[in-house]
Amino acid sequence: RREQARLRAGVVEEDTEEWQKDAHFTGLERVGGVDLSYIKGDDSRACASLVVLSFPALEVLYQDCRMVAVTAPYVAGFLAFREVPVLVEAVRRLQQEEPQLQPQVLLVDGNGLLHPRGFGTACHLGVLTDLPCVGVAKNLLQVDGLVRDELHREQVRSLQRSGETFPLTGASGKVLGMVLRSYNNSSKPLYVSVGHRVSLGTAVRLVRACCRFRVPEPIRQ
Protein backbone atom coordinates (compact mmCIF):
# COMPACT_ATOMS: atom_id res chain seq x y z
CA ARG A 1 0.00 0.00 0.00
CA ARG A 2 2.85 2.40 0.77
CA GLU A 3 4.48 1.75 -2.58
CA GLN A 4 1.13 2.18 -4.34
CA ALA A 5 0.52 5.48 -2.55
CA ARG A 6 4.04 6.69 -3.39
CA LEU A 7 3.60 5.96 -7.10
CA ARG A 8 0.01 7.27 -7.06
CA ALA A 9 1.36 10.73 -6.27
CA GLY A 10 2.98 10.75 -9.72
CA VAL A 11 -0.23 10.28 -11.70
CA VAL A 12 -1.13 13.17 -14.04
CA GLU A 13 -4.87 13.24 -14.77
CA GLU A 14 -4.81 15.73 -17.64
CA ASP A 15 -3.71 16.02 -21.27
CA THR A 16 0.00 16.70 -21.66
CA GLU A 17 0.45 16.26 -25.43
CA GLU A 18 -0.51 18.58 -28.29
CA TRP A 19 -2.24 15.79 -30.27
CA GLN A 20 -4.58 15.17 -27.33
CA LYS A 21 -5.96 18.69 -27.62
CA ASP A 22 -6.77 18.31 -31.34
CA ALA A 23 -10.28 17.24 -32.38
CA HIS A 24 -8.84 14.80 -34.95
CA PHE A 25 -5.76 13.79 -32.91
CA THR A 26 -3.51 15.41 -35.51
CA GLY A 27 0.07 14.41 -34.69
CA LEU A 28 -0.88 11.04 -33.23
CA GLU A 29 0.76 8.33 -35.35
CA ARG A 30 1.31 5.32 -33.03
CA VAL A 31 -1.02 3.76 -30.46
CA GLY A 32 0.09 0.81 -28.34
CA GLY A 33 -1.90 -1.91 -26.62
CA VAL A 34 -0.79 -4.20 -23.78
CA ASP A 35 -2.30 -7.30 -22.24
CA LEU A 36 -1.38 -10.35 -20.18
CA SER A 37 -3.17 -13.63 -20.95
CA TYR A 38 -2.96 -16.65 -18.67
CA ILE A 39 -3.09 -20.32 -19.59
CA LYS A 40 -6.20 -21.95 -18.13
CA GLY A 41 -5.30 -23.72 -14.92
CA ASP A 42 -1.80 -22.22 -14.68
CA ASP A 43 -1.50 -18.74 -13.21
CA SER A 44 2.29 -18.87 -12.97
CA ARG A 45 2.83 -18.42 -16.73
CA ALA A 46 1.33 -15.85 -19.04
CA CYS A 47 1.65 -14.43 -22.53
CA ALA A 48 2.70 -10.79 -22.29
CA SER A 49 1.84 -8.78 -25.39
CA LEU A 50 2.73 -5.31 -26.61
CA VAL A 51 1.39 -4.27 -30.00
CA VAL A 52 1.85 -0.90 -31.73
CA LEU A 53 -0.58 0.22 -34.42
CA SER A 54 -0.47 3.12 -36.82
CA PHE A 55 -3.06 5.84 -36.32
CA PRO A 56 -5.58 6.47 -37.78
CA ALA A 57 -5.17 3.46 -40.13
CA LEU A 58 -4.83 0.99 -37.22
CA GLU A 59 -2.32 -1.25 -39.00
CA VAL A 60 0.13 -3.33 -36.97
CA LEU A 61 3.62 -1.79 -36.94
CA TYR A 62 5.20 -3.84 -34.15
CA GLN A 63 4.34 -6.80 -31.96
CA ASP A 64 6.10 -8.45 -29.05
CA CYS A 65 4.38 -11.50 -27.57
CA ARG A 66 6.25 -13.86 -25.29
CA MET A 67 5.63 -16.36 -22.53
CA VAL A 68 6.75 -15.07 -19.15
CA ALA A 69 6.92 -16.43 -15.62
CA VAL A 70 4.64 -14.55 -13.23
CA THR A 71 6.03 -14.78 -9.72
CA ALA A 72 4.02 -12.36 -7.57
CA PRO A 73 0.79 -13.84 -6.17
CA TYR A 74 -2.59 -12.43 -7.16
CA VAL A 75 -3.92 -10.10 -4.47
CA ALA A 76 -7.11 -8.13 -5.20
CA GLY A 77 -6.31 -4.44 -5.68
CA PHE A 78 -2.62 -5.15 -6.26
CA LEU A 79 -2.76 -6.89 -9.66
CA ALA A 80 -0.32 -4.35 -11.14
CA PHE A 81 2.52 -5.63 -8.94
CA ARG A 82 2.03 -8.99 -10.65
CA GLU A 83 1.64 -7.81 -14.25
CA VAL A 84 3.30 -4.43 -14.74
CA PRO A 85 6.97 -5.53 -14.41
CA VAL A 86 6.77 -7.71 -17.56
CA LEU A 87 4.87 -4.98 -19.43
CA VAL A 88 7.53 -2.42 -18.50
CA GLU A 89 10.16 -4.86 -19.83
CA ALA A 90 8.26 -5.09 -23.14
CA VAL A 91 8.15 -1.28 -23.42
CA ARG A 92 11.89 -1.05 -22.63
CA ARG A 93 12.71 -3.68 -25.29
CA LEU A 94 10.77 -1.67 -27.87
CA GLN A 95 12.55 1.54 -26.84
CA GLN A 96 15.93 -0.15 -27.31
CA GLU A 97 15.24 -2.18 -30.47
CA GLU A 98 12.80 0.02 -32.44
CA PRO A 99 12.83 3.47 -30.78
CA GLN A 100 11.13 5.04 -33.80
CA LEU A 101 8.07 2.85 -33.14
CA GLN A 102 7.56 3.90 -29.52
CA PRO A 103 3.83 4.42 -28.97
CA GLN A 104 2.62 7.90 -28.11
CA VAL A 105 -0.08 6.40 -25.88
CA LEU A 106 -0.81 2.94 -24.47
CA LEU A 107 -4.24 1.34 -24.14
CA VAL A 108 -4.15 -1.08 -21.21
CA ASP A 109 -6.48 -4.05 -20.79
CA GLY A 110 -7.45 -3.09 -17.23
CA ASN A 111 -8.33 -0.09 -15.09
CA GLY A 112 -6.67 3.20 -14.25
CA LEU A 113 -8.21 5.51 -11.63
CA LEU A 114 -11.17 3.12 -11.43
CA HIS A 115 -9.55 1.19 -8.57
CA PRO A 116 -10.00 0.87 -4.78
CA ARG A 117 -7.09 3.26 -4.17
CA GLY A 118 -7.22 5.12 -7.49
CA PHE A 119 -4.17 3.36 -8.91
CA GLY A 120 -4.94 0.49 -11.27
CA THR A 121 -2.66 -1.19 -13.81
CA ALA A 122 -2.96 1.65 -16.38
CA CYS A 123 -1.82 4.22 -13.79
CA HIS A 124 0.99 1.98 -12.53
CA LEU A 125 2.33 1.32 -16.04
CA GLY A 126 1.96 4.99 -17.00
CA VAL A 127 3.93 6.28 -14.01
CA LEU A 128 6.74 3.71 -14.48
CA THR A 129 7.12 4.29 -18.26
CA ASP A 130 6.03 7.96 -18.24
CA LEU A 131 3.85 7.24 -21.29
CA PRO A 132 0.25 8.44 -21.58
CA CYS A 133 -1.95 5.46 -20.62
CA VAL A 134 -5.66 4.67 -20.76
CA GLY A 135 -7.44 1.91 -18.83
CA VAL A 136 -9.94 -0.08 -20.91
CA ALA A 137 -11.86 -2.78 -19.02
CA LYS A 138 -14.58 -5.12 -20.23
CA ASN A 139 -16.22 -5.49 -16.81
CA LEU A 140 -17.16 -3.03 -14.08
CA LEU A 141 -14.84 -3.04 -11.08
CA GLN A 142 -17.22 -2.51 -8.16
CA VAL A 143 -15.50 0.15 -6.03
CA ASP A 144 -16.56 3.34 -4.21
CA GLY A 145 -20.20 2.28 -4.16
CA LEU A 146 -20.34 1.38 -7.88
CA VAL A 147 -22.40 -1.77 -8.36
CA ARG A 148 -23.65 -3.74 -11.34
CA ASP A 149 -27.27 -3.44 -10.17
CA GLU A 150 -30.49 -2.98 -12.11
CA LEU A 151 -29.96 0.82 -12.30
CA HIS A 152 -26.53 0.27 -13.84
CA ARG A 153 -27.91 -2.26 -16.32
CA GLU A 154 -30.69 0.17 -17.24
CA GLN A 155 -28.11 2.91 -17.89
CA VAL A 156 -26.12 0.49 -20.07
CA ARG A 157 -29.27 -0.36 -22.04
CA SER A 158 -29.86 3.36 -22.59
CA LEU A 159 -26.64 3.54 -24.66
CA GLN A 160 -28.20 3.08 -28.10
CA ARG A 161 -25.41 4.00 -30.48
CA SER A 162 -21.65 3.78 -30.79
CA GLY A 163 -19.98 6.67 -28.96
CA GLU A 164 -22.70 7.15 -26.33
CA THR A 165 -21.47 7.29 -22.74
CA PHE A 166 -22.38 7.88 -19.12
CA PRO A 167 -20.05 8.73 -16.21
CA LEU A 168 -19.17 6.34 -13.38
CA THR A 169 -19.65 8.52 -10.32
CA GLY A 170 -18.66 6.86 -7.05
CA ALA A 171 -20.26 7.35 -3.64
CA SER A 172 -17.42 9.81 -2.94
CA GLY A 173 -18.78 12.03 -5.72
CA LYS A 174 -15.68 11.53 -7.85
CA VAL A 175 -16.06 10.52 -11.51
CA LEU A 176 -13.89 7.39 -11.71
CA GLY A 177 -14.39 6.60 -15.38
CA MET A 178 -16.82 6.48 -18.26
CA VAL A 179 -19.04 3.73 -19.63
CA LEU A 180 -18.73 3.71 -23.45
CA ARG A 181 -20.76 1.92 -26.07
CA SER A 182 -17.88 1.42 -28.46
CA TYR A 183 -19.56 -0.49 -31.29
CA ASN A 184 -23.10 -0.39 -32.67
CA ASN A 185 -23.37 -4.19 -32.90
CA SER A 186 -22.38 -4.85 -29.28
CA SER A 187 -24.63 -4.05 -26.34
CA LYS A 188 -21.75 -4.75 -23.93
CA PRO A 189 -19.96 -1.51 -23.05
CA LEU A 190 -16.36 -0.70 -22.16
CA TYR A 191 -15.24 0.90 -18.89
CA VAL A 192 -12.70 3.62 -19.71
CA SER A 193 -10.59 5.31 -17.06
CA VAL A 194 -7.60 7.65 -16.89
CA GLY A 195 -4.22 5.97 -16.54
CA HIS A 196 -1.60 8.73 -16.83
CA ARG A 197 -1.05 11.96 -18.77
CA VAL A 198 -4.51 12.00 -20.34
CA SER A 199 -7.89 13.49 -19.43
CA LEU A 200 -10.99 11.31 -19.22
CA GLY A 201 -12.65 13.06 -22.16
CA THR A 202 -9.61 12.50 -24.38
CA ALA A 203 -9.32 8.89 -23.20
CA VAL A 204 -12.90 8.16 -24.25
CA ARG A 205 -12.50 9.87 -27.65
CA LEU A 206 -9.29 7.95 -28.29
CA VAL A 207 -10.74 4.56 -27.36
CA ARG A 208 -13.70 5.17 -29.63
CA ALA A 209 -11.39 6.23 -32.49
CA CYS A 210 -9.51 2.93 -32.11
CA CYS A 211 -12.59 0.67 -32.24
CA ARG A 212 -13.53 -1.37 -35.30
CA PHE A 213 -15.35 -3.80 -33.03
CA ARG A 214 -16.21 -3.68 -29.32
CA VAL A 215 -12.60 -3.89 -28.05
CA PRO A 216 -10.18 -1.23 -29.36
CA GLU A 217 -7.78 -2.55 -31.99
CA PRO A 218 -4.51 -2.09 -30.06
CA ILE A 219 -5.83 -4.37 -27.27
CA ARG A 220 -7.75 -6.70 -29.62
CA GLN A 221 -4.64 -7.26 -31.72
Side-chain angles (χ1 to χ4, degrees):
R1 280 177 184 264
R2 274 200 304 273
E3 177 70 356
Q4 218 169 39
R6 183 183 72 79
L7 292 170
R8 170 75 179 85
V11 172
V12 176
E13 300 179 31
E14 58 208 35
D15 295 330
T16 60
E17 309 301 298
E18 283 307 310
W19 61 262
Q20 293 168 330
K21 297 159 189 170
D22 184 274
H24 305 290
F25 295 128
T26 304
L28 177 61
E29 297 175 350
R30 296 173 307 283
V31 180
V34 294
D35 191 15
L36 233 68
S37 310
Y38 294 88
I39 298 168
K40 274 200 169 72
D42 179 8
D43 63 358
S44 67
R45 286 171 58 69
C47 181
S49 304
L50 165 62
V51 179
V52 181
L53 273 58
S54 64
F55 187 88
L58 302 177
E59 290 168 350
V60 177
L61 302 174
Y62 174 93
Q63 50 192 350
D64 178 353
C65 305
R66 56 184 73 196
M67 294 304 297
V68 295
V70 181
T71 52
Y74 171 71
V75 181
F78 298 94
L79 178 67
F81 288 97
R82 182 172 161 81
E83 298 194 342
V84 164
V86 295
L87 298 176
V88 170
E89 278 177 26
V91 172
R92 298 277 181 259
R93 268 196 304 276
L94 166 58
Q95 288 169 333
Q96 286 170 350
E97 294 167 12
E98 304 270 7
Q100 75 283 5
L101 293 180
Q102 169 161 299
Q104 292 159 278
V105 60
L106 284 171
L107 302 188
V108 180
D109 185 13
N111 292 296
L113 297 179
L114 181 57
H115 177 271
R117 286 168 300 284
F119 195 70
T121 302
C123 297
H124 206 126
L125 184 62
V127 170
L128 292 184
T129 61
D130 200 33
L131 290 172
C133 282
V134 175
V136 185
K138 295 184 280 292
N139 297 298
L140 173 65
L141 185 65
Q142 302 190 47
V143 296
D144 192 14
L146 296 172
V147 285
R148 207 164 41 239
D149 57 6
E150 188 49 43
L151 172 62
H152 180 78
R153 286 191 283 269
E154 184 58 43
Q155 286 177 302
V156 168
R157 283 193 290 271
S158 76
L159 303 177
Q160 293 295 310
R161 287 194 304 278
S162 163
E164 292 187 353
T165 62
F166 67 85
L168 285 166
T169 307
S172 62
K174 185 171 170 62
V175 175
L176 301 174
M178 199 72 83
V179 183
L180 166 69
R181 180 159 183 163
S182 57
Y183 181 56
N184 273 334
N185 293 2
S186 175
S187 58
K188 292 180 177 176
L190 295 174
Y191 297 88
V192 180
S193 55
V194 167
H196 184 52
R197 291 178 57 188
V198 64
S199 68
L200 183 57
T202 298
V204 171
R205 283 196 304 123
L206 178 64
V207 170
R208 190 184 174 212
C210 289
C211 284
R212 286 182 176 153
F213 304 100
R214 178 193 173 208
V215 175
E217 284 301 294
I219 291 175
R220 199 178 77 87
Q221 292 289 347

